[in-house]
C-alpha cells in the first residue's frame, strides 16, 4: 500500500472512531426559530407577530434537557417572553444560582446554560444581562417562567437564567403578580384536565425607554396568558370565563397611566400601583398589538 493510501486509510479510520463521540456532543448554534423546543407551545406553534429586529429564539437547555422557551431581545438584554408547560412544583424553591447563555456570547459555544464565572467574560457582558446589572438597581429579578410552575428540581433550577428574568419592582414581584401566579396554579390544579401552556412577557415603555445600568430594559407592564384546551365539563359558572384561555396585565410602574391597568386606591401602600388586571386572551392580544405595533397572536387557533 502506498504512503498516500495509508494516510487516507488512517484518516478515515480516525474519523470513524470519532463519529460516535461527536454525535453525542452538544454544539452551540444560534437558531432563528424554536424548532428544537416546539412542544412548549400549544399545537407546537410559537406566537405570531413578534418579528422585530433583535429578537433571538432560545430553547432553554439545562442538564442536557430542554425546559422551556424564551424569545430574547438582544438590544434590551432581556426576554420578550418565556413559554412553558405548567407543572406544579414537587419541592422547594432552589437556591438562586444565576446562569447565562454561552451561545449568545459565542456563536459556536454550548447551548447549555451555565452558572456565571468570575470574572465575567466581556463577550458575555456585551451579549446579555449579568448579575451586576441588578446590583443597587432598586429592582428585583422577576421570573417570566416562575420556579413554582415547574415540577422537578432541574425544571426549577433552569428558570434561574437571566434570559428568563426582567427588572421587576418588589411591590409587583411579591405582591399582585405573585398572587396572579398562584391563582393560575390553583386553576390548573382544580379545573385543567390536560396540559396548560403559559406564555408570560413584558411591554417596554412606549415613549421613552427605561434602563437599569444603562443596559437592561425595564418593562412598564408584565403580561401573561394561558391555554388549557382540555378542562372539566362541570365548570362552576364563575369559573367558565377562565377557560380555555385567560390573560392578565400587571403594572410594573406605580406612576404609569391607568389606561391599561386601573389602580386600586384601597390597596395597602406597599403594593398600591402594582395592580393586575384580568382579561380575555383577545383583550390582551389587542393591547399587545397596539402597544408593540405588531399583530400579535399568542395561541394557535385561540386555543380552540
Amino acid at each position: 500500500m502506498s504512503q498516500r493510501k495509508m494516510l487516507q486509510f488512517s484518516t478515515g479510520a480516525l474519523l470513524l472512531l470519532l463519529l460516535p463521540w461527536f454525535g453525542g456532543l452538544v454544539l452551540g448554534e444560534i437558531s432563528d426559530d424554536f424548532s428544537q423546543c416546539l412542544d412548549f407551545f400549544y399545537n407546537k406553534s410559537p406566537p405570531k407577530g413578534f418579528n422585530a429586529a433583535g429578537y433571538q429564539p432560545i430553547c432553554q437547555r439545562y442538564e442536557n434537557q430542554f425546559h422551556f422557551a424564551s424569545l430574547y431581545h438582544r438590544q434590551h438584554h432581556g426576554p420578550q417572553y418565556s413559554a412553558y408547560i405548567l407543572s406544579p412544583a414537587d419541592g422547594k424553591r432552589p437556591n438562586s444560582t444565576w446562569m447565562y447563555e454561552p451561545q449568545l456570547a459565542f456563536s459556536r459555544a454550548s447551548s447549555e446554560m451555565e452558572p456565571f464565572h468570575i470574572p465575567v467574560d466581556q463577550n458575555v457582558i456585551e451579549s446579555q444581562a449579568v448579575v451586576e446589572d441588578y446590583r443597587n438597581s432598586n429592582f428585583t429579578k422577576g421570573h417570566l417562567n416562575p420556579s413554582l410552575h415547574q415540577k422537578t428540581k432541574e425544571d426549577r433550577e433552569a428558570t434561574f437564567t437571566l434570559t428568563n428574568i426582567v427588572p421587576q419592582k418588589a411591590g409587583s414581584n411579591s405582591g399582585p403578580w405573585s398572587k396572579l401566579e398562584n391563582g393560575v396554579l390553583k386553576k390548573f390544579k382544580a379545573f385543567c384536565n390536560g396540559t396548560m401552556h403559559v406564555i408570560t412577557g413584558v411591554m417596554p415603555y412606549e415613549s421613552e425607554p427605561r434602563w437599569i445600568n444603562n443596559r437592561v430594559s425595564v418593562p412598564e407592564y408584565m403580561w401573561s396568558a394561558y391555554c388549557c384546551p382540555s378542562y372539566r365539563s362541570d365548570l362552576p359558572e364563575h369559573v367558565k370565563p377562565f377557560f380555555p384561555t385567560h390573560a392578565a396585565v400587571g403594572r410594573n410602574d406605580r406612576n404609569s397611566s391607568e389606561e391599561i391597568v386601573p389602580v386600586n386606591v384601597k390597596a395597602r401602600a406597599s403594593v398600591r400601583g402594582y395592580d393586575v388586571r384580568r382579561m380575555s386572551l383577545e383583550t390582551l392580544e389587542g393591547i399587545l398589538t397596539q402597544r408593540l405595533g405588531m399583530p400579535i397572536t399568542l395561541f394557535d387557533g385561540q386555543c380552540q
Side-chain angles (χ1 to χ4, degrees), residues 86-112:
L86 190 150
S87 184
D90 61 5
K92 296 180 180 179
R93 177 186 173 103
N95 293 329
S96 303
T97 301
W98 295 104
M99 294 182 281
Y100 74 101
E101 279 289 334
Q103 60 181 322
L104 288 177
F106 310 97
S107 62
R108 297 298 295 173
S110 168
S111 59
E112 184 101 353

Side-chain angles (χ1 to χ4, degrees), residues 24 38-39 94 126 128 181 193 203 209 220 224 233 253 259 267:
L38 290 174
D39 287 341
E126 291 174 2
Q128 58 202 281
E181 291 173 339
N193 289 336
M203 278 186 275
E220 185 176 11
S224 186
S233 59
D253 186 339
E259 180 182 356

